[in-house]
Amino acid sequence: MADAQISARAAQAVGLPEGIKFTGPFPFGGMNVKAAAIAIPDNEFTWLENFVKLGDGNLRALWDRGPSIYTAPSNQSIVYFSFYSLASEFYCAVFMSDGSAFQIKMSNRARTTIAPAGTFYSSITGYLPYARQWGSTYLLICNRNTPNDYWVWDGALLYQAGSAGPLGVNLLATGLSYNSPPAVTAFGGSGSGMAFTPTVDNGGVIQIKIANPGTGYGPGDVVQLQFSGGGSDSSPVLEAQLSAGGVGGVSV
């Protein structure tokens, strides 16, 4: 007996009408608001409320109305907010009327300060900040109160005009014989305040994370890092040889 006949009899056995056809939306093709509902392909929808497309066959539900995640104090108001994700965590950036902003972690409502008052918003101009996610790594923020109103937030540090960039430190060599992280000092450029956290592995400095991006650096500034300590120091050491109250020589 042909497979088609077997399938037809199996369908009849469970009470399904003759000629029934099953279709599905996979892979999800999108929204089709132009064609009549009866004419759209099986993998499209005329309307799909409260879902967004992440990829073929992959939809995510939007947030529903629920308890408030944050209530502004009586002397302030929320001027702007934006939802985003960093790595696998979902967040909301909340911008306040005093120009400050903070991050809310959606899983536990933990708050992290992004910047203090007077940073992102001014009631004098009334221009609102604007934020958009970049990949799953950064939140990009901008405004138009000054020519330098642009920022990058990585969930822990805020990078701005005049600071180090979020791409970090370019290591040309890892070095040798380090048994502990060396002290790292920045020099060069017109700014200040940069701080770094080095990581040592197998005797070499394999990574330097920015702990503070600093402020006040200008276009074209070149900032270099000096290592000291950690069990290895190849920098020359000068020792003054004193003679009759003056420097009689220098030994290297």
Side-chain angles (χ1 to χ4, degrees), residues 62-231:
L62 295 173
W63 289 279
D64 195 3
R65 295 185 62 181
S68 174
I69 64 173
Y70 174 75
T71 301
S74 58
N75 61 336
Q76 292 190 55
S77 60
I78 299 172
V79 297
Y80 178 73
F81 64 90
S82 179
F83 288 96
Y84 59 101
S85 61
L86 298 176
S88 59
E89 291 286 350
F90 292 99
Y91 300 93
C92 180
V94 181
F95 297 81
M96 305 301 296
S97 56
D98 67 351
S100 65
F102 54 87
Q103 169 182 275
I104 299 178
K105 190 175 182 179
M106 299 303 297
S107 60
N108 58 10
R109 303 298 192 265
R111 279 192 282 170
T112 302
T113 299
I114 299 177
T119 304
F120 300 113
Y121 173 77
S122 170
S123 59
I124 298 175
T125 64
Y127 297 141
L128 297 179
Y130 186 77
R132 274 296 176 265
Q133 180 174 327
W134 188 86
S136 59
T137 312
Y138 304 116
L139 180 69
L140 307 182
I141 308 169
C142 67
N143 206 330
R144 51 177 175 161
N145 290 310
T146 75
N148 291 325
D149 274 6
Y150 53 90
W151 302 266
V152 178
W153 170 250
D154 67 0
L157 292 176
L158 181 69
Y159 302 90
Q160 56 188 321
S163 77
L167 296 181
V169 177
N170 181 24
L171 277 170
L172 300 179
T174 60
L176 301 170
S177 303
Y178 287 96
N179 50 42
S180 63
V184 180
T185 304
F187 66 95
S190 56
S192 63
M194 284 188 180
F196 304 90
T197 303
T199 299
V200 172
D201 184 46
N202 197 27
V205 179
I206 61 171
Q207 184 184 44
I208 298 179
K209 290 185 177 180
I210 297 176
N212 188 327
T215 58
Y217 292 91
D221 279 354
V222 176
V223 179
Q224 295 179 311
L225 305 184
Q226 180 181 7
F227 292 4
S228 61

